[in-house]
Amino acid sequence: MHAEEKHIVEFKVLFKVLIALFVLTGLTVLAGNIDLGYFNVVVALLIATAKASLVVFFFMHLKYEGGLFKIMVLLAFVILAIFIGFTFFDVAFRAN
């Protein structure tokens, strides 16, 4: 896409994304009040990933970018997830 090309996202699409973000925020609060043990972190990260994906795709317009750029952003998130995962394994299996 060239710099001079513009795309306009319809208001109803952005409104639906906003409502989804509100619902996911409510789920985050609800999940924080339920004791799932070690899975509290996993559930919180999954919800946060869904919210971040909505923001990146719709508000930051990644949905309208080229394939190579999408792959690079996905690769960056996968590498970040690997590092976070290793951190959780370290904390989960650490001797007291």
Side-chain angles (χ1 to χ4, degrees):
M1 179 179 294
H2 300 291
E4 63 271 359
E5 291 184 33
K6 296 186 180 189
H7 51 270
I8 298 173
V9 182
E10 294 180 15
F11 175 76
K12 73 177 180 181
V13 172
L14 294 178
F15 188 72
K16 287 178 183 179
V17 171
L18 179 67
I19 296 301
L21 288 171
F22 284 150
V23 169
L24 288 170
T25 301
L27 283 175
T28 303
V29 172
L30 182 66
N33 291 326
I34 298 173
D35 184 24
L36 300 174
Y38 180 71
F39 288 106
N40 273 23
V41 174
V42 175
V43 170
L45 282 176
L46 287 174
I47 295 170
T49 301
K51 291 193 303 187
S53 297
L54 287 173
V55 169
V56 167
F57 277 109
F58 290 99
F59 292 126
M60 297 177 72
H61 303 277
L62 182 63
K63 180 179 178 183
Y64 306 103
E65 291 295 332
L68 181 62
F69 190 70
K70 287 180 183 178
I71 291 171
M72 290 298 156
V73 171
L74 177 65
L75 181 63
F77 281 120
V78 167
I79 291 170
L80 177 65
I82 289 170
F83 282 123
I84 290 173
F86 283 144
T87 302
F88 285 129
F89 285 134
D90 179 51
V91 172
F93 297 111
R94 186 177 291 175
N96 290 330

